[in-house]
Amino acid sequence: MAAASFSWQRAGAGLVGAIVPALVIVLWQAATSLGWVNPQVLPSPLAVVNKWIEYLLPLQPYHAADGSWLAWAVSGELIVDSLGSLYRVAVGFAIGAGLALPLGLAMGANARAYRWFNPMVQLLRPIPPIAYIPLSILWFGLGNPPAVFLIALGAFFPVLMNTIAGVRQVDGIYLRAARNLGATGATLFVRVILPAAVPYILSGVRIGIGTAFIVVIVSEMIAVNNGLGFRILEAREYFWSDKIIAGMVTIGLLGLAIDVAMNRLNNHLLRWHRGLEQQ
């Protein structure tokens, strides 16, 4: 009964959250239908949906001689571009977080490592990844490598700073209690410090993925010849405003899906934290 009640509460919360987007779409459609805005500048929601479907579907009709139906079904520009962007996000984030996590743990747990690396980290952290675009192209040329480099930079610092904060802000009571029970060295770190820092680390991961998704769009506009960012820039060149908005909506939907997935993963991994095990 409690689980059913909770499910209804979540469904109700989802419906409430859909009210504002629905109102925006209704007002948007009314403004375009009444001629208050130029449809070339701001197309109607229906025009955007039609373009989104056209963007999703394969460019050519299916012929059995061309290969499998599944390969044809996923050959639409939208699917190809989305997969290309997600691939770059996954690779870049894996590199950035993979480097940031051990460095953050070391800087958080070891005062000497913190003194050595913190000045360089604080010097580089304020520089936005976009500022590295000229250097990334100079170093890596065009294509995936510069995009992955920029995404890794975008993901690196959120994960690093949250990891450092998580390790350094472990409650001293936990440490003293563990030492009184005989925990030292690696045992203290693995059994006390790391679990206490996990909420911070996962928050950094969530922020890092969001940043990586922002950076991939910018990098695709500059250095890559496919992906959602590239397609939006291409649509701007031809003044296809409906395709621009369709691409933006796709980015929003993918970002929302990633954030929801990360939130559920966090809740699952932290079900012991703050009573989340009851959800």
Side-chain angles (χ1 to χ4, degrees):
M1 183 65 68
S5 175
F6 179 73
S7 298
W8 278 109
Q9 289 177 0
R10 293 187 63 179
L15 290 175
V16 170
I19 291 176
V20 173
L23 288 175
V24 170
I25 293 174
V26 169
L27 293 175
W28 177 10
Q29 182 65 45
T32 54
S33 299
L34 295 173
W36 293 349
V37 294
N38 183 350
Q40 188 66 34
V41 176
L42 181 64
S44 69
L46 290 177
V48 172
V49 170
N50 290 333
K51 177 58 70 173
W52 191 87
I53 294 173
E54 178 184 331
Y55 187 18
L56 174 66
L57 296 176
L59 297 176
Q60 302 296 330
Y62 174 67
H63 298 289
D66 295 336
S68 70
W69 180 89
L70 181 60
W72 170 83
V74 298
S75 64
E77 279 187 342
L78 179 61
I79 297 176
V80 173
D81 290 338
S82 298
L83 290 176
S85 296
L86 290 174
Y87 167 78
R88 295 180 188 102
V89 167
V91 175
F93 177 80
I95 294 173
L99 294 174
L101 187 58
L103 179 60
L105 292 173
M107 291 178 64
N110 188 287
R112 180 177 298 177
Y114 185 85
R115 289 194 300 269
W116 272 85
F117 290 102
N118 188 60
M120 180 61 71
V121 168
Q122 299 306 326
L123 175 66
L124 297 178
R125 186 169 63 91
I127 303 174
I130 298 172
Y132 289 91
I133 287 177
L135 284 177
S136 67
I137 295 176
L138 180 64
W139 292 343
F140 302 104
L142 300 177
N144 284 333
V148 169
F149 170 74
L150 294 172
I151 294 165
L153 275 176
F156 178 82
F157 289 103
V159 177
L160 176 68
M161 300 310 297
N162 276 268
T163 302
I164 294 173
V167 175
R168 291 175 68 88
Q169 294 184 23
V170 175
D171 197 322
I173 295 176
Y174 299 150
L175 300 178
R176 289 193 294 271
R179 290 192 182 101
N180 289 337
L181 293 173
T184 58
T187 301
L188 182 66
F189 181 81
V190 173
R191 301 296 297 273
V192 179
I193 295 177
L194 189 57
V198 165
Y200 288 86
I201 296 172
L202 292 179
S203 295
V205 168
R206 190 174 180 182
I207 297 171
I209 289 180
T211 305
F213 207 80
I214 294 172
V215 174
V216 71
I217 302 302
V218 177
S219 64
E220 287 174 347
M221 290 182 175
I222 306 297
V224 185
N225 62 357
N226 58 51
L228 294 171
F230 169 81
R231 205 63 62 187
I232 289 174
L233 189 64
E234 179 189 57
R236 188 211 63 168
E237 297 292 335
Y238 294 98
F239 212 63
W240 295 335
S241 54
D242 51 357
K243 192 170 185 178
I244 292 174
I245 298 176
M248 293 169 61
V249 169
T250 303
I251 294 169
L253 292 174
L254 289 175
L256 176 62
I258 291 173
D259 188 69
V260 169
M262 284 302 306
N263 186 47
R264 292 187 176 183
L265 178 62
N266 287 1
N267 288 345
H268 175 71
L269 295 177
L270 299 176
R271 57 190 181 276
W272 53 269
H273 185 66
R274 294 182 181 177
L276 290 178
E277 69 277 9
Q278 298 177 1
Q279 297 187 5

